[in-house]
Amino acid sequence: MVSSNRLTKLLLYVFTGMVAVYLLLPLLMIVMTSVGSGSASKFPPEGFTLKWYANLAEQTQFLHAFKNSLIASTGAVLLALVTGTLASLAIVQYPFRGSGLLRAFFVSPMVMPKITLGIAYLILFSKMHIAGGLFALILGEAVIVLPFVLTIVGSALANLQPVYREAAADMGASPIRIFFTITLPQLKLSLLLSGSIAFVFTFDQVEAALLLLRQDSYTLPIQLFLYMEKWQDPTIAVVSVVLITFALVLFLLIRLILRSLTGMEGMLGGRKKQRRS
């Protein structure tokens, strides 16, 4: 029995290691390609050099496109968080006839083809005379990531205990004050998680951005495609390495925030137990 358990653990470790290698190998290839001395992206590289990192510093369009991506993603996430939280609050805490149908309607962009949404946004925003800029992209991307916020925040709202809201209402607090002082602090983890997922999703969004934006408002994925149409050098791999580093820093930052929030909740929970005892 003991040998069987050891064999099972060994097989699990081997399988986990194979999966990790499979996931890390493409990233390693990108890093190796970014320092290749050849004039074209090639693996394994013929030699090693950092000249392509210097070449990236000369490509100012990438920095401008990165700023546009940050602005569009941040704006879309904030808009989706506000609208998604309010919609979840209405559907979960104040249910009404047809609320399930409304929820399904809000979640529908998750299953719709993104190119179809992009064409629809192009027609709509052209009629509104706002197509071509980042504001139109923010509106379009907010709708695309709204299902993530609605699902995660809605699940968190459904699991909240109504005791604190009822106690605050009995003490004369208004619904708005109850939301900001009782409900919203309990949703901070779900808001952070849904916002993080939505940010990553919108940052790589291509279909709607390709149809809606003018040349001076292009985001980073579009500029990468345009660069690859003219050049096939390792500069693209360098940009990928920078984005991987950015994603790792963002992941570590989110993890630190989650640790601080869960630690704070644990302290508050411990104090509440002490007071009750």
Side-chain angles (χ1 to χ4, degrees):
M1 187 68 179
V2 176
S3 59
S4 177
N5 291 335
R6 290 179 178 177
L7 179 61
T8 302
K9 289 183 179 180
L10 179 61
L11 291 176
L12 287 176
Y13 289 150
V14 172
F15 177 76
T16 304
M18 292 174 61
V19 172
V21 171
Y22 176 76
L23 293 176
L24 293 176
L25 188 59
L27 303 181
L28 178 62
M29 293 178 64
I30 291 176
V31 174
M32 296 293 291
T33 303
S34 68
V35 295
S37 60
S39 59
S41 298
K42 185 179 179 181
F43 187 86
E46 300 174 353
F48 298 98
T49 180
L50 296 177
K51 67 178 182 179
W52 302 115
Y53 284 84
N55 184 54
L56 176 62
E58 300 175 359
Q59 307 299 324
T60 57
Q61 72 274 17
F62 286 145
L63 179 59
H64 182 68
F66 182 75
K67 292 179 181 178
N68 289 337
S69 294
L70 284 180
I71 294 172
S73 298
T74 303
V77 168
L78 292 177
L79 182 59
L81 286 176
V82 173
T83 55
T85 302
L86 294 178
S88 301
L89 191 67
I91 293 173
V92 175
Q93 292 191 355
Y94 304 97
F96 52 90
R97 179 175 294 183
S99 58
L101 182 62
L102 183 63
R103 178 185 177 87
F105 175 74
F106 284 152
V107 178
S108 61
M110 184 181 294
V111 297
M112 292 184 64
K114 301 302 179 290
I115 188 66
T116 304
L117 289 175
I119 295 173
Y121 293 147
L122 177 61
I123 298 173
L124 174 62
F125 295 150
S126 296
K127 294 292 184 180
M128 298 172 62
H129 303 288
I130 60 173
L134 293 178
F135 179 67
L137 182 62
I138 289 173
L139 294 178
E141 288 184 342
V143 175
I144 295 175
V145 298
L146 179 63
F148 298 107
V149 180
L150 192 71
T151 302
I152 297 176
V153 176
S155 299
L157 279 172
N159 293 322
L160 293 183
Q161 296 295 332
V163 178
Y164 301 108
R165 298 196 305 272
E166 293 174 355
D170 292 339
M171 297 178 66
S174 64
I176 296 178
R177 185 170 184 179
I178 292 175
F179 172 75
F180 282 104
T181 59
I182 304 297
T183 305
L184 192 60
Q186 298 181 77
L187 296 177
K188 53 183 177 292
L189 289 177
S190 58
L191 289 173
L192 179 61
L193 291 175
S194 59
S196 303
I197 295 173
F199 182 85
V200 173
F201 191 87
T202 55
F203 196 87
D204 289 335
Q205 220 285 327
V206 177
E207 295 86 354
L210 190 61
L211 292 169
L212 290 176
L213 297 179
R214 295 187 301 265
Q215 185 174 359
D216 59 340
S217 301
Y218 281 163
T219 54
L220 186 58
I222 299 178
Q223 285 291 0
L224 290 175
F225 281 121
L226 294 177
Y227 187 88
M228 290 180 65
E229 288 181 351
K230 298 180 179 180
W231 313 98
Q232 284 77 42
D233 57 51
T235 304
I236 298 298
V238 175
V239 177
S240 300
V241 172
V242 174
L243 291 178
I244 291 172
T245 305
F246 173 73
L248 290 175
V249 172
L250 183 62
F251 171 76
L252 292 176
L253 180 62
I254 293 173
R255 188 170 182 179
L256 289 175
I257 295 175
L258 286 175
R259 280 186 176 181
S260 62
L261 291 178
T262 52
M264 188 178 300
E265 286 185 348
M267 290 175 58
L268 293 176
R271 291 178 181 177
K272 289 179 181 178
K273 290 180 180 179
Q274 290 179 0
R275 290 178 182 177
R276 288 179 181 175
S277 61

